[in-house]
Amino acid sequence: MENQAPAKKKSVFSGIQPTGVFTLGNYLGAVKNWPQLQDDYRCTYCIVDMHAITVRQDPKQLRQRSLEAYALLLACGVDPQKSNVFIQSHVKTHAELAWVLNCNTSFGQLSRMTQFKDKSQKHPEDINAGLFDYPVLMAADILAYQADLVPVGIDQKQHLELARDIAQRFNTQYGNTFTIPEPYIPQATAKIMSLQEPTKKMSKSDTNVKSFISILDEKDTVIKKFRSAVTDSEACVRYAEGKDGINNLMTIYQAVAGKSFEEIEKDFEGKGYGDFKTAVGEAVADHLAPVRDKWKALMDDKDYLKQSYTDGAQRALAISQRTIDKVYKKVGFIPLG
Ligand code: AQP
């Protein structure tokens, strides 16, 4: 029998904004899955600092946060030997592709994006064009790498659907150019809620620090935050409609302790919320401790980080440049040289 060439691995892309230290929501909803895909896919992961500036950022703080976020990705298990890991603004093709895609995206469709509506309400003093255009830049990030799969939390589903629409429309207009990406959304942890307002998603830029667990929080802080989490007055640990706070804590506990809802309900039968909240806090803190230790060690080795993000950017540029060359040709730009 003839030898068959090994099947080409599928491609994965995802990004995260350096708008603060990653929350437990970012971690369970997205980043925790990223290392798990590295062996079976060609993975590209990036710190999307260009997305971050759609909301006003202090430049010095953004630089610091971008480096910290890069180190956090590695601390969470993303391996720069296996994945392309880089910082978005280092790779010019993202902005170049975003422009072409802008010219192939309808204003009406962009106006329906719920994140734009939410963020405009949150920042009425700065509703800038970049905020409106955020999903097109995200489409460019994904399509530049011809990604098959995009691991994200459920809040990004609408943006991903837009990226698919843009790709499909472009392919119809100019001939097959882009791979149509599929979302990869974890079932159980697609939306981790705020500890203080459990009907709202947990966000790293929330002004109430008690509403989120940062994955670098010390153990005492983690336990304190869980102990002050908003729940209900039933004092019964069970998963049920209307018990948003407890449902959220059970979802988190299930993810970090590997227990089913039935086991959790049984373990805490007859016990108050205090015991349950402490148990969740301890399980989360223990789960995150190795990430924190690894992050601290990485932040002490700035030369390694610099070398790693430089290599990552070079590899990312080589891949995405192929897409840009193809796209520029298709839309009718004259090649240089
Ligand atoms: N609460 C969440 N539960 C599950 N997944 C979440 N994600 C965000 N919040 C939750 C997922 O994390 C990835 C990176 O998100 P991002 O930083 O690019 O942007 P975001 O969705 O806007 O996250 P934040 O924390 O809410 O940031 P800010 O406060 O700056 O707006 C994405 O895959 C996202 O789905």
Side-chain angles (χ1 to χ4, degrees):
M1 215 171 90
E2 250 179 75
N3 275 346
Q4 281 194 338
K8 198 176 165 209
K9 281 184 181 174
K10 289 195 166 185
S11 150
V12 163
F13 175 89
S14 202
I16 185 160
Q17 298 186 82
T19 38
V21 176
F22 306 166
T23 67
L24 189 60
N26 298 132
Y27 178 73
L28 294 179
V31 177
K32 185 170 177 270
N33 297 317
W34 297 3
Q36 293 163 14
L37 298 165
Q38 294 178 124
D39 290 324
D40 297 329
Y41 295 88
R42 288 175 293 121
C43 295
T44 301
Y45 297 127
C46 93
I47 300 301
V48 291
D49 52 350
M50 288 161 68
H51 280 91
I53 63 163
T54 56
V55 170
R56 211 45 74 223
Q57 304 290 335
D58 171 63
K60 194 167 163 228
Q61 190 180 52
L62 181 62
R63 261 190 295 278
Q64 179 66 18
R65 282 179 165 175
S66 296
L67 187 68
E68 289 176 357
Y70 186 85
L72 256 184
L73 278 192
L74 305 197
C76 287
V78 172
D79 179 350
Q81 301 299 323
K82 293 182 179 173
S83 300
N84 303 312
V85 205
F86 64 99
I87 296 170
Q88 187 184 29
S89 60
H90 290 164
V91 181
K92 65 186 174 60
T93 42
H94 292 240
E96 290 170 346
L97 183 56
W99 181 254
V100 178
L101 299 184
N102 269 328
C103 301
N104 287 277
T105 306
S106 84
F107 182 87
Q109 200 173 10
L110 272 183
S111 323
R112 290 193 288 278
M113 297 294 116
T114 54
Q115 182 177 285
F116 172 69
K117 291 180 195 162
D118 293 347
K119 293 212 167 169
S120 313
Q121 266 176 8
K122 258 200 209 162
H123 305 280
E125 73 296 342
D126 182 28
I127 306 176
N128 61 73
L131 188 63
F132 185 71
D133 202 33
Y134 181 115
V136 181
L137 179 59
M138 181 168 154
D141 298 338
I142 297 166
L143 301 181
Y145 299 93
Q146 306 288 352
D148 295 282
L149 214 60
V150 185
V152 283
I154 197 103
D155 62 315
Q156 293 299 331
K157 190 163 180 261
Q158 192 186 30
H159 287 169
L160 196 61
E161 276 160 10
L162 179 79
R164 287 168 56 87
D165 283 354
I166 294 173
Q168 268 153 352
R169 213 172 312 120
F170 195 96
N171 286 353
T172 306
Q173 174 83 21
Y174 297 101
N176 206 16
T177 310
F178 296 122
T179 302
I180 309 299
E182 295 287 341
Y184 179 90
I185 299 175
Q187 287 262 307
T189 52
K191 193 173 187 184
I192 300 298
M193 310 309 276
S194 153
L195 298 184
Q196 293 299 314
E197 288 174 80
T199 50
K200 243 179 64 180
K201 90 164 179 144
M202 184 181 282
S203 268
K204 58 179 124 55
S205 60
D206 199 317
T207 48
N208 182 356
V209 293
K210 279 161 69 181
S211 73
F212 59 83
I213 301 294
S214 131
I215 66 172
L216 296 176
D217 279 344
E218 296 291 336
K219 184 164 189 170
D220 286 358
T221 311
V222 172
I223 294 175
K224 247 189 233 156
K225 285 184 180 177
F226 275 110
R227 286 193 66 88
S228 72
V230 168
T231 47
D232 55 70
S233 56
E234 192 194 28
C236 175
V237 178
R238 64 186 184 100
Y239 196 95
E241 212 184 311
K243 287 171 70 74
D244 300 314
I246 286 295
N247 294 349
N248 190 36
L249 298 191
M250 286 179 73
T251 302
I252 293 170
Y253 195 52
Q254 182 191 42
V256 297
K259 295 195 178 212
S260 67
F261 286 161
E262 292 74 28
E263 285 172 304
I264 299 171
E265 286 172 3
K266 205 154 158 261
D267 288 354
F268 291 92
E269 206 176 325
K271 296 186 186 159
Y273 284 167
D275 286 349
F276 178 53
K277 287 176 174 180
T278 306
V280 181
E282 279 178 350
V284 168
D286 291 347
H287 186 89
L288 295 178
V291 174
R292 209 174 48 237
D293 293 346
K294 197 163 172 211
W295 179 80
K296 284 180 186 159
L298 282 161
M299 286 303 288
D300 282 341
D301 195 350
K302 302 277 190 315
D303 289 345
Y304 171 73
L305 290 175
K306 189 172 176 190
Q307 187 61 53
S308 176
Y309 67 63
T310 306
D311 290 348
Q314 279 165 357
R315 277 183 275 143
L317 179 63
I319 300 167
S320 53
Q321 188 66 50
R322 289 201 287 271
T323 303
I324 270 291
D325 290 348
K326 199 162 149 188
V327 166
Y328 275 16
K329 196 170 164 202
K330 295 233 173 182
V331 299
F333 294 165
I334 295 177
L336 178 66

